[in-house]
Amino acid sequence: MNWKFILRWVITFTVCLIIYDLTASFWMSLGILILLIVAENLIIDWIKKRKGARK
């Protein structure tokens, strides 16, 4: 099994529930989650680029 994939989705689902509970609005929580996903991907790409520059 791909535990990294499963763990990532469990964390994402938990964050989704927390944001939805705090905002009480589906559309606002969806917008916040989209922003979080974009930020996460930018950070991951930046880290990979930094690792590539060190080699």
Side-chain angles (χ1 to χ4, degrees):
M1 295 187 90
N2 191 352
W3 290 106
K4 186 176 180 181
F5 176 79
I6 293 170
L7 183 62
R8 184 173 174 165
W9 276 104
V10 167
I11 293 171
T12 303
F13 183 72
T14 305
V15 170
C16 289
L17 288 177
I18 291 170
I19 290 174
Y20 180 72
D21 197 37
L22 290 174
T23 60
S25 169
F26 173 77
W27 297 110
M28 185 180 287
S29 61
L30 184 66
I32 291 171
L33 286 172
I34 290 171
L35 290 175
L36 286 174
I37 290 169
V38 169
E40 178 188 13
N41 286 331
L42 288 173
I43 291 170
I44 289 172
D45 288 343
W46 182 75
I47 290 171
K48 286 181 182 178
K49 191 170 94 174
R50 294 275 299 174
K51 283 184 180 178
R54 288 184 181 184
K55 289 183 180 181

